[in-house]
Amino acid sequence: MRGIQLLRVLFALIFMALPSLQAKGADAVSTPATPPASASAATVRTEQISGTGGTFPAPVYAKWADTARSAIGVDVTYNAIGSGSGQDQIISRSVDFGASDAPMDDARLSAAKLLQFPTVIGAVVVIVNLPRVREGELKLTGETLAAIFAGKIDKWNDPRLKQVNPDVTLPNLPIEPIHRYEPSGTSFAFTSYLSAVSLEWKSSVGTGTKVNWPAGVGARGSDGAATAVNITRGAIAYVESTYAAENHLTTAQLRNRSGVFVEPTSASFTAAAASADWNTPNFAVNLVDTDGAASWPIVTPTFVLLPRDPKDMTRSAAVMRFFDWAYKSGGAVAEQLGYVPLPATVQDGVRAAWRSQVSVDGRPVYK
């Protein structure tokens, strides 16, 4: 009997406590984890813009976007699906800006009423997966690299590779070339380099965002190429330098125009960028295989494509406000990721192009 009485008391105490517990539960759900924003902060307008295109600049655009929302009230959504798609989608006006690592030709820009401007300078590097070959140890010439992607050098212990790597133990292992599957500005830069250093490649394959690759298999995006190399023994591919660093992949040295083997570093990228001549139509400067003993041979700017006759003046202005802010405040972030910021004179030239070429009913969008 005493046990039954104790149980009754216990149940009574529980039921008495229920209102308090329910109230506390309700408070826990309704109370925000962080204090509410102030009334003035809540009224700040955030402009949303969308872009799509190359994977090459995706890491730095993502970092810039992380800060731009709070810094200038621009919320950027960027879909990195390849330069070809970036060009197509801005021509159809399905996004606010397109991004392409390959410059669009003048006639197509004119027909689509697009302004093309650079945002940062980056580098394409060669990555490999070879047992017992350390970072930066493998050396490649432009000619041997072209022969590998043409399928004419298909073993890692080929005498032509051993000749330039006398101190490296190259395995008797098939070479597995990996290239981009979709139209890609990174492919454009890489094939531009192969065409510059190999007359045979230039005449048989050529340059393009998508070419008829004589050997190897395709992977989608720089991240896809990096992943494929990471899991394939004997693989070799080309990617934007940030993807190699993020995935801790082994990069190779390349022999530059001056005959010097150089490693892919910020210093060698900057040395190549320093030789740029920006006095070209639509900012389409060529930084591939430049002079200079310290220069990395595959360096390229990446571009944004913006309608000169935007449908939405506000969103167009937000695109330019975002990249203007990135020029002013995003240089350090770009350098941390392995990119080279544009020279100040080039940034000023871009701003002048915004003022003179982007307008609605004769009114300039950028002021």
Side-chain angles (χ1 to χ4, degrees):
M1 180 66 69
R2 184 176 178 81
I4 293 174
Q5 289 176 339
L6 287 173
L7 284 174
R8 286 174 178 170
V9 171
L10 180 59
F11 280 123
L13 290 172
I14 291 173
F15 282 114
M16 290 171 63
L18 277 175
S20 175
L21 291 172
Q22 289 170 345
K24 290 179 179 179
D27 289 343
V29 172
S30 61
T31 302
T34 55
S38 65
S40 59
T43 60
V44 175
R45 179 178 177 178
T46 299
E47 191 66 46
Q48 295 187 348
I49 58 174
S50 64
T52 192
T55 61
F56 190 96
V60 70
Y61 289 178
K63 287 291 186 181
W64 285 345
D66 285 344
T67 306
R69 191 179 192 281
S70 59
I72 57 172
V74 177
D75 191 355
V76 182
T77 300
Y78 181 71
N79 191 12
I81 55 176
S83 296
S85 295
Q87 293 183 11
D88 292 341
Q89 291 197 26
I90 192 58
I91 288 174
S92 67
R93 302 302 197 261
S94 56
V95 290
D96 298 307
F97 69 91
S100 177
D101 307 322
M104 191 181 285
D105 66 73
D106 297 349
R108 199 173 181 214
L109 283 169
S110 179
K113 296 183 179 180
L114 294 174
L115 170 64
Q116 174 177 274
F117 61 90
T119 54
V120 289
I121 298 167
V124 177
V125 302
V126 176
I127 56 176
V128 296
N129 181 347
L130 287 175
R132 297 183 296 280
V133 174
R134 297 187 298 273
E135 165 67 20
E137 189 175 31
L138 180 71
K139 296 179 180 178
L140 295 169
T141 66
E143 296 81 2
T144 55
L145 191 59
I148 286 172
F149 278 87
K152 297 186 176 182
I153 295 179
D154 58 7
K155 286 289 188 70
W156 279 110
N157 62 348
D158 185 283
R160 288 166 288 185
L161 296 177
K162 292 173 70 174
Q163 183 179 2
V164 294
N165 292 280
D167 300 323
V168 179
T169 302
L170 295 174
N172 181 19
L173 192 65
I175 298 177
E176 306 289 351
I178 295 169
H179 55 78
R180 290 285 289 277
Y181 172 79
E182 79 286 8
S184 158
T186 309
S187 291
F188 178 86
F190 185 67
T191 56
S192 295
Y193 169 69
L194 296 184
S195 293
V197 296
S198 169
L199 290 177
E200 184 176 357
W201 181 276
K202 183 177 181 179
S203 62
S204 62
V205 182
T207 299
T209 57
K210 189 171 185 177
V211 299
N212 292 320
W213 295 93
V217 297
R220 185 172 292 278
S222 286
D223 52 351
T227 300
V229 169
N230 203 29
I231 63 175
T232 308
R233 281 168 53 91
I236 182 170
Y238 56 92
V239 296
E240 196 278 324
S241 61
T242 299
Y243 290 90
E246 287 180 346
N247 290 277
H248 307 290
L249 296 175
T250 302
T251 60
Q253 296 185 47
L254 290 181
R255 189 173 66 187
N256 63 19
R257 190 182 184 91
S258 298
V260 179
F261 284 99
V262 290
E263 295 188 31
T265 64
S266 295
S268 64
F269 305 158
T270 302
S275 65
D277 179 8
W278 290 96
N279 294 317
T280 55
N282 300 307
F283 300 99
V285 65
N286 182 5
L287 296 176
V288 170
D289 199 32
T290 58
D291 290 322
S295 296
W296 181 253
I298 320 179
V299 173
T300 180
T302 187
F303 302 94
V304 158
L305 303 166
L306 184 67
R308 291 189 281 112
D309 58 344
K311 294 184 295 184
D312 188 317
M313 189 172 186
T314 301
R315 291 171 75 96
S316 179
V319 171
M320 290 180 279
R321 188 162 77 252
F322 171 68
F323 285 107
D324 183 52
W325 169 84
Y327 286 159
K328 294 174 182 175
S329 305
V333 169
E335 289 177 331
Q336 289 170 5
L337 292 172
Y339 299 90
V340 179
L342 295 178
T345 53
V346 179
Q347 297 178 19
D348 290 340
V350 170
R351 294 184 181 101
W354 289 341
R355 292 188 187 95
S356 63
Q357 297 189 42
V358 182
S359 62
V360 175
D361 298 329
R363 295 175 296 158
V365 175
Y366 178 80
K367 299 174 183 179

